Amino acid sequence: MNPFKVFVVEDDPFYGEMLKYHISLNPDYVVEKFETGKDFLHNLYKNPSVISLDYSLPDMSGLEVLKKVKEFNPEIPVIIVSGQEDVSTAVILLKEGAYDYFVKDDDTKDRIWNALKNIREKVELEKEIDVLKEEIGKKYKFGNIIKGNSPEIKNIFSLIDKAIGTNITVSIAGETGTGKDLVAKAIHYNSPRAKYPYVAINVSAIPKDLIESELFGSEKGAYTGAFTRKLGKFEEAGKGTLFLDEIGEMEMNMQAKLLRVLQERELTRIGGHQLVKVEARILVATNRNLAEEVQKGNFRQDLYYRLLGLPIYLPPLRDRGNDILLLAKHFVDEFCDENGIPKKTISQHAQEKLLGYSYPGNARELKAMMELATVMSNGTVIEETNISYSSPNRSNDFMLDAEDTLVGYNRKIIRYYLDKYDKNIINVAKKLDIGKSTIYRMMKNNEL
Amino acid sequence: MKKMKTQKLYDLSQLIEIVGDEEGLLKMVTIFIESTPRTLDELNENFRNKNFEMVAQNAHKMKASIDMMRVVSLHDMIRKIDKLDKVIENQAELKDIISIVNTKLTQVFAELKKEFAL
Ligand SMILES: Nc1ncnc2c1ncn2[C@@H]1O[C@H](COP(=O)(O)OP(=O)(O)OP(=O)(O)O)[C@@H](O)[C@H]1O
Ligand SMILES: [Mg+2]
């Protein structure tokens, strides 16, 4: 723990020494004493935890010194000790950020003692919180939690980096289970807003008629059952981050209200009049194609542009090549760790089987598959037979998809057959009347 | 012993309470005997030069130490000088007060020196 450094600035050597003695009664405090403003300011670089400052120094006024301290580091609490009671000076000093103002009398040392105690407790508490936040932050250091080596995921990392440095709204898109939640958290916990709250709300999970009060809050008596004032998610997030998940599910009239709030940067709670400032950073996510929803008239174009900001598109897992295996191993390791099971590896055949699947549920589905496989496997190796696709009867979705190239269709068809025939390459090659080496080659090149 | 204490011009009980040990007390008393006469000299000098604002400031500085040493007899007087612009109108009265402060403090210094063999 860093020592709690108390600087005593006092031109009266006797009084200064007295304070030093008194404060040093607490063995955790380290006291340094200065008799002039100049001498003190020379030592300010040592960054004291708290300063006790005599208002009338021979070379400078207390106000001057206070201002210099606040310029150096506004966080350092400064207790002003004055020989004389002077209310107007006290008011000015407190306005300039003084922690407190004491008049020198018999109680001064006790008051300073108490002030130090309070300041110290606060500092300790804040430190604890910082440590906790750092831990949470570390948890979300994106390399640690968002796994992947593919060019696709590296591109995502560089976009997250860009998002962290600014306040721009980020719109995260991608199929279900591709990691949109993870990306949102990674942005928040690595941004300067990490010390403020991260508040997530899933639009699709909240009944339509409650969403407005969830977001904006409501005053007491705003509707039947509103017994107290309720803060909305915007206010809860404060200067932090508000993550609006499944934004595509929001109803049109609510979209209009949201747009207004985002434009004005102000809101009123339901049933209230008072304007509340909106300071939170906004992240949104959707697994729909929002541009398409705009075309279809289901999503307001103006809101769409407002929210687009920095778009991050998370490609489906099946397009991330070898990341499938990397993630599979990661999920197995994680599961073993969490359950105190010895580490397991994934056999070659099992790996090939994993690469042959299309993962409509993306990473979430892979995770569930690998957890089950880990449970099913007996030894230390996960075999092909331990892996079962969660959705064996894939619809021939490749027919319904948007237009694709012939090569693209080829891939989709082969994937479909591989799924259907449980990754039996010989079988698939026969059915499609192509060489099995073609399938092997495509697999090796991560084309499937 | 108790009687002695009440006769004294100062009372160190508060100081002892703060500094705790002999060593600390000695240090504080030494500082008092070194620094207060200096301030007193400055005060006298400033008074001679009719620099009343500085006189008040010097008194102001001594006030805390005098209180801490519990020189009760000077408690009110030092405050009068400190606020001289507001309280003391005529210079004659200021002169009297300053001379009493000088006498008393000189006594205090001497007694302290004797008690602590300084
Ligand atoms: N790149 C990745 N590395 C490690 N774990 C991942 C990765 N991507 C996703 N996951 C894990 O997969 C699961 C689903 O991720 P997440 O909840 O972020 O998906 P989502 O895109 O928000 O899905 P939905 O649209 O259904 O809300 C989580 O358990 C998450 O930890
Ligand atoms: Mg999600």
Side-chain angles (χ1 to χ4, degrees):
Chain A
M1 198 201 300
N2 288 330
F4 191 71
K5 266 185 273 176
V6 184
F7 277 18
V8 172
V9 192
E10 170 64 63
D11 72 320
D12 178 355
F14 182 82
Y15 198 78
E17 194 64 28
M18 193 276 297
L19 282 183
K20 184 176 167 180
Y21 260 106
H22 187 64
I23 294 167
S24 306
L25 287 180
N26 184 328
D28 295 341
Y29 297 167
V30 179
V31 186
E32 273 193 64
K33 207 168 46 116
F34 307 95
E35 290 190 7
T36 63
K38 224 175 126 200
D39 188 23
F40 159 67
L41 291 175
H42 272 311
N43 285 279
L44 189 53
Y45 73 90
K46 293 178 185 165
N47 214 11
S49 317
V50 60
I51 297 161
S52 159
L53 173 67
D54 182 17
Y55 181 68
S56 43
L57 294 170
D59 57 338
M60 289 170 99
S61 86
L63 185 60
E64 264 176 279
V65 179
L66 175 66
K67 280 184 179 164
K68 289 252 157 64
V69 173
K70 291 287 149 188
E71 263 167 39
F72 170 73
N73 178 357
E75 305 281 326
I76 305 177
V78 180
I79 302 167
I80 308 270
V81 181
S82 167
Q84 225 145 27
E85 176 108 50
D86 179 349
V87 176
S88 57
T89 312
V91 169
I92 293 170
L93 290 165
L94 293 174
K95 264 196 194 147
E96 285 294 332
Y99 179 83
D100 215 332
Y101 176 93
F102 298 141
V103 180
K104 275 185 200 168
D105 60 25
D106 286 355
D107 296 333
T108 311
K109 56 182 179 11
D110 296 326
R111 289 201 206 146
I112 293 181
W113 183 262
N114 283 333
L116 291 178
K117 192 167 147 265
N118 291 337
I119 290 168
R120 181 138 189 272
E121 278 167 8
K122 198 167 147 253
V123 168
E124 290 302 317
L125 198 68
E126 276 168 5
K127 249 192 244 155
E128 247 169 63
I129 292 171
D130 279 352
V131 169
L132 283 177
K133 285 199 169 139
E134 207 174 288
E135 262 164 30
I136 295 171
K138 260 191 219 129
K139 220 175 130 197
Y140 289 103
K141 280 276 173 320
F142 27 106
N144 278 348
I145 188 82
I146 307 180
K147 298 285 175 190
N149 258 330
S150 59
E152 286 81 8
I153 214 74
K154 285 191 174 141
N155 179 43
I156 300 293
F157 286 160
S158 85
L159 289 172
I160 292 177
D161 248 334
K162 295 210 163 65
I164 284 166
T166 62
N167 282 325
I168 190 171
T169 299
V170 178
S171 54
I172 310 163
E175 292 178 8
T176 181
T178 45
K180 298 184 294 292
D181 267 80
L182 281 189
V183 169
K185 283 185 185 135
I187 293 173
H188 171 77
Y189 286 108
N190 289 285
S191 79
R193 292 177 183 262
K195 53 176 180 283
Y196 301 110
Y198 172 79
V199 175
I201 179 170
N202 187 332
V203 173
S204 70
I206 293 167
K208 309 268 178 245
D209 49 334
L210 289 183
I211 185 100
E212 186 177 355
S213 81
E214 274 298 309
L215 283 177
F216 304 148
S218 55
E219 294 292 349
K220 186 176 165 179
Y223 46 85
T224 33
F227 296 118
T228 52
R229 168 188 284 177
K230 186 170 145 270
L231 294 188
K233 298 289 176 189
F234 272 96
E235 273 184 87
E236 222 178 90
K239 292 181 181 166
T241 303
L242 177 62
F243 176 43
L244 302 171
D245 202 358
E246 311 281 10
I247 188 79
E249 310 300 313
M250 192 176 274
E251 283 197 326
M252 283 301 247
N253 68 338
M254 192 55 216
Q255 287 178 26
K257 289 176 185 170
L258 176 64
L259 178 67
R260 200 164 53 237
V261 166
L262 293 177
Q263 270 166 352
E264 313 285 324
R265 292 306 256 171
E266 260 173 4
L267 59 82
T268 43
R269 300 182 197 106
I270 300 180
H273 304 287
Q274 191 193 332
L275 286 174
V276 177
K277 245 172 96 188
V278 170
E279 295 178 289
R281 191 241 186 108
I282 310 293
L283 305 177
V284 301
T286 171
N287 54 31
R288 294 198 189 192
N289 183 334
L290 266 198
E292 238 167 58
E293 297 298 313
V294 171
Q295 293 269 295
K296 287 194 221 151
N298 295 332
F299 204 84
R300 290 181 68 113
Q301 190 167 25
D302 43 13
L303 182 61
Y304 171 73
Y305 284 118
R306 186 97 209 163
L307 292 176
L308 192 60
L310 173 68
I312 295 184
Y313 171 67
L314 288 167
L317 183 60
R318 59 185 164 278
D319 292 346
R320 293 189 215 168
N322 255 326
D323 275 3
I324 295 175
L325 294 181
L326 192 146
L327 274 171
K329 286 180 189 138
H330 164 69
F331 290 138
V332 171
D333 286 350
E334 202 179 57
F335 185 78
C336 290
D337 272 354
E338 279 168 11
N339 292 281
I341 313 172
K343 288 259 149 74
K344 295 194 186 204
T345 55
I346 305 170
S347 78
Q348 189 60 32
H349 286 298
Q351 294 193 12
E352 277 163 21
K353 182 164 180 183
L354 286 172
L355 285 172
Y357 182 53
S358 65
Y359 303 98
N362 293 290
R364 184 182 291 113
E365 185 179 6
L366 176 61
K367 187 174 178 193
M369 270 169 63
M370 294 322 293
E371 289 176 359
L372 182 60
T374 311
V375 172
M376 297 310 283
S377 77
N378 291 318
T380 57
V381 182
I382 293 173
E383 303 289 352
E384 194 182 348
T385 47
N386 300 136
I387 293 170
S388 37
Y389 297 150
S390 337
S391 42
N393 293 319
R394 293 181 61 205
S395 64
N396 23 356
D397 56 354
F398 50 90
M399 293 306 177
L400 304 167
D401 264 356
E403 285 174 24
D404 203 343
T405 58
L406 196 55
V407 179
Y409 276 119
N410 267 340
R411 273 188 215 149
K412 281 177 180 166
I413 291 166
I414 295 171
R415 255 190 240 133
Y416 170 73
Y417 273 85
L418 281 169
D419 281 357
K420 189 167 174 185
Y421 294 101
D422 215 24
K423 194 75 181 30
N424 186 328
I425 293 169
I426 298 168
N427 230 343
V428 172
K430 249 188 228 150
K431 292 269 170 197
L432 291 173
D433 196 17
I434 53 171
K436 50 187 199 300
S437 58
T438 310
I439 302 178
Y440 281 125
R441 195 197 62 237
M442 288 174 81
M443 273 186 174
K444 236 176 94 198
N445 297 341
N446 294 327
E447 285 169 29
L448 290 177
Chain B
M1 192 65 197
K2 202 171 179 198
K3 207 166 166 241
M4 267 286 285
K5 226 176 196 168
T6 49
Q7 283 171 347
K8 271 187 189 169
L9 278 169
Y10 53 85
D11 170 5
L12 298 179
S13 55
Q14 165 158 303
L15 204 53
I16 291 169
E17 198 184 298
I18 291 171
V19 298
D21 55 10
E22 286 287 320
E23 195 194 322
L25 183 63
L26 184 64
K27 187 165 180 193
M28 293 301 294
V29 170
T30 313
I31 292 176
F32 180 77
I33 301 182
E34 277 169 7
S35 67
T36 315
R38 268 207 308 268
T39 317
L40 186 61
D41 287 348
E42 279 173 31
L43 184 145
N44 292 330
E45 171 83 14
N46 284 323
F47 181 65
R48 270 196 298 282
N49 298 333
K50 298 203 186 317
N51 194 346
F52 297 122
E53 208 173 299
M54 287 305 292
V55 170
Q57 207 172 307
N58 295 138
H60 180 83
K61 189 168 161 181
M62 291 196 303
K63 190 173 67 181
S65 333
I66 288 174
D67 286 353
M68 197 52 63
M69 302 294 289
R70 285 272 189 270
V71 187
V72 184
S73 53
L74 289 180
H75 181 271
D76 295 342
M77 268 179 244
I78 197 73
R79 282 174 169 69
K80 275 193 182 168
I81 314 176
D82 181 12
K83 292 182 181 163
L84 88 178
D85 51 340
K86 288 158 213 160
V87 181
I88 299 177
E89 263 99 44
N90 68 58
Q91 279 184 37
E93 194 193 344
L94 182 59
K95 194 177 176 183
D96 290 345
I97 292 176
I98 288 178
S99 109
I100 297 172
V101 168
N102 270 283
T103 320
K104 292 264 183 209
L105 278 182
T106 312
Q107 264 175 279
V108 169
F109 298 149
E111 278 181 33
L112 279 172
K113 276 184 189 163
K114 208 169 131 201
E115 182 173 347
F116 289 86
L118 289 164

